[in-house]
Amino acid sequence: MRTIQADDITNLVEKLCIEANCNLTEDIFICLNNCRSKEKSSLGKEILGTLIENAEIAKSETSPICQDTGMAVVFVTIGQDVHIEGQLLEKAVNEGVRRGYEKGYLRKSVVKDPLDRVNTKDNTPAVIHYDIVEGNTFNIVVAPKGFGSENMSQLRMLKPSQGIEGVKDFVLNTISEAGANPCPPIIVGIGIGGTMEKSAYLSKKALLRPVSEHNENSMLAQLEAELLESINSLGIGPAGFGGTTTALSVNILTYPTHIAGLPVSVNIGCHATRHAEGNL
């Protein structure tokens, strides 16, 4: 049994909140540069250049990449042989979010109740997902989610008979309806299978996969490539001003499902799709 102190978790989450909001991941930064060289629209090329410059300034000045510093979504992967000593794990994570958003001068965007809309003033609580695995590992990914892109995400309970063509149609319709709202070029996370909430979780988690990596499943890799080409043919372009770079990547995760269902979720990430990872 391995013991981890709750205070260490809090300190790690605090650090990751600031890092995720201020440092564009290297894979996305490289992809933006590559897309800029290939973009056919002169305005689109200029916008991509501005996004790259913005990311460089944010990193050098430890300033947020975007004014919407998001609701903190935290993925915790914990080995079953790990014991947390101190306060409750959930409290440790939320205390890290509170400190990170305060120390990093990050905008507090969370309201206590979805109907009365009173701000919690510390960006807590976070949305926390737990994954229990073998061994004594402990990994955390903090993924601040802005709602320009979140609001454009959709879920559909398709009929099994609609099959792969139904999935394609749903994805393309979702991106087309989203237009400029999610701050393209976007990353498209797709969750297929499980139940309603499982597909949504998969689509969110899919956004964490580096844009430079392909799906390990050859059939899904082909579907991702086909969807990426179709999305970039929509002409939405950088910031929605037209062009050939509407999406940087399409990432798909699947899970077994019921014989009577085909749940599909599309979670859209903005051009930054911020996240930072750490281990204890």
Side-chain angles (χ1 to χ4, degrees):
M1 181 67 68
R2 179 181 172 220
T3 299
I4 294 177
Q5 299 297 320
D7 285 347
D8 292 335
I9 296 171
T10 293
N11 291 335
L12 177 58
V13 172
E14 175 188 322
K15 170 179 171 289
L16 294 176
C17 283
I18 298 172
E19 181 181 332
N21 272 294
C22 300
N23 295 346
L24 189 68
T25 59
E26 188 67 16
D27 62 304
I28 295 178
F29 186 80
I30 291 172
C31 189
L32 285 173
N33 276 281
N34 290 338
C35 288
R36 183 190 182 193
S37 65
K38 298 175 184 176
E39 175 58 51
K40 295 181 180 179
S41 163
S42 58
L43 178 56
K45 192 182 290 286
E46 182 180 342
I47 291 169
L48 289 171
T50 300
L51 295 179
I52 292 166
E53 181 183 7
N54 178 73
E56 291 172 334
I57 293 172
K59 184 175 183 178
S60 65
E61 297 185 357
T62 315
S63 298
I65 297 170
C66 176
Q67 53 83 23
D68 182 357
T69 51
M71 187 171 191
V73 180
V74 181
F75 295 86
V76 179
T77 302
I78 181 171
Q80 63 180 4
D81 296 327
V82 170
H83 169 67
I84 308 299
E85 189 171 79
Q87 65 179 331
L88 187 69
L89 174 55
E90 183 174 343
K91 290 184 178 180
V93 170
N94 278 315
E95 177 62 16
V97 171
R98 185 190 70 77
R99 292 184 190 177
Y101 274 73
E102 186 66 30
K103 183 177 179 180
Y105 299 99
L106 307 174
R107 196 184 82 183
K108 288 80 173 177
S109 303
V110 174
V111 295
K112 186 176 182 179
D113 185 278
L115 298 179
D116 68 23
R117 315 301 292 181
V118 177
N119 199 298
T120 64
K121 299 184 179 180
D122 61 5
N123 222 60
T124 68
V127 175
I128 309 172
H129 300 286
Y130 300 97
D131 190 13
I132 310 300
V133 298
E134 294 181 354
N136 60 8
T137 60
F138 189 89
N139 173 273
I140 286 183
V141 177
V142 174
K145 194 65 165 67
F147 267 56
S149 58
E150 189 74 356
N151 285 338
M152 295 298 104
S153 302
Q154 294 191 33
L155 182 154
R156 187 69 53 81
M157 303 300 290
L158 298 181
K159 298 180 179 65
S161 60
Q162 291 177 265
I164 195 167
E165 291 305 318
V167 172
K168 292 178 187 177
D169 289 343
F170 170 54
V171 172
L172 290 176
N173 286 337
T174 299
I175 304 306
S176 181
E177 290 175 14
N181 291 311
C183 302
I186 57 176
I187 296 172
V188 184
I190 302 172
I192 306 173
T195 52
M196 179 186 73
E197 81 282 3
K198 182 67 173 182
S199 71
Y201 166 76
L202 292 172
S203 69
K204 178 82 70 181
K205 193 170 184 180
L207 294 176
L208 303 179
R209 195 186 82 197
V211 296
S212 55
E213 294 183 6
H214 299 291
N215 203 301
E216 294 180 356
N217 181 300
S218 59
M219 183 190 74
L220 293 178
Q222 182 178 344
L223 178 57
E224 289 174 346
E226 183 179 337
L227 283 170
L228 181 61
E229 182 178 357
S230 296
I231 290 169
N232 284 330
S233 297
L234 292 174
I236 297 170
F241 285 108
T244 53
T245 311
T246 297
L248 303 178
S249 179
V250 174
N251 300 346
I252 299 175
L253 287 177
T254 63
Y255 195 82
T257 193
H258 192 279
I259 56 172
L262 180 56
V264 184
S265 291
V266 177
N267 196 228
I268 302 175
C270 68
H271 83 273
T273 307
R274 298 157 296 181
H275 56 281
E277 182 175 2
N279 301 286
L280 288 176

